[in-house]
Structure formats: structure tokens, C-alpha cells
Amino acid sequence: MEIKGDFFVLLHSESQDSFTVEKMSDMVMKNMNVFIKGAKVDYIVIAMADTLEDIEEHKRRLIELRIETLKKQVMKH
């Protein structure tokens, strides 16, 4: 399923502590198969962009924000 003007999505799995990048149309096709098979996944979309370069920039910024947030949470306890 190719979508005209397709874009990239950044996904993250908390349980696997990993990232993956896919085209939106590919992700939707995979999600349909997951649904049909009744499988379980924990990847969530955390960013979208037109280019891989923009996705990598989003990923970098999100990781920085997460580190800052987790540090603040640790300091409170």
C-alpha cells in the first residue's frame, strides 16, 4: 500500500528499548497484520517527518528531553 506523499514515522518500544523508522504506509500494513493475527506489540509512534534526516533530528531531541525528564524525576526522590 503506497500512499502518495507518504512520510516517515519514528516508533519506540519500551519493552525492547529500541527505535525503528518506517514509512507510514508500511507501518499501517504491518499494524493491520498484527490486528488480524491477534499479536501484541508495544511500538508507539513518537514522531513523524517528511525526511529521514528530520526523523533523526526528532529522535535526538526526544532522547535528550527524556534524559532531562528522568533526571528531574530522580532528583525529586
Side-chain angles (χ1 to χ4, degrees), residues 5-67:
D6 209 357
F7 52 92
F8 295 97
V9 290
L10 174 65
L11 299 104
H12 179 259
S13 168
E14 194 69 34
S15 68
Q16 296 178 45
D17 191 27
S18 65
F19 295 91
T20 188
V21 175
E22 298 178 1
K23 284 188 175 181
M24 179 67 163
S25 58
D26 293 340
M27 183 196 68
V28 170
M29 291 300 293
K30 286 180 184 178
N31 285 348
M32 286 191 296
N33 286 328
V34 166
F35 173 76
I36 291 166
K37 293 176 182 176
K40 293 184 172 47
V41 295
D42 73 336
Y43 276 95
I44 60 168
V45 176
I46 60 172
M48 299 179 295
D50 292 324
T51 66
L52 288 173
E53 294 81 15
D54 288 346
I55 280 288
E56 288 301 320
E57 180 61 23
H58 285 304
K59 179 181 174 182
R60 185 191 63 74
R61 285 194 315 239
L62 287 166
I63 290 171
E64 287 174 359
L65 286 169
R66 182 173 179 147
I67 290 169

Side-chain angles (χ1 to χ4, degrees), residues 62-77:
L62 287 166
I63 290 171
E64 287 174 359
L65 286 169
R66 182 173 179 147
I67 290 169
E68 289 174 21
T69 300
L70 292 175
K71 283 181 183 177
K72 288 178 185 176
Q73 290 174 354
V74 169
M75 293 173 75
K76 287 183 180 179
H77 294 104

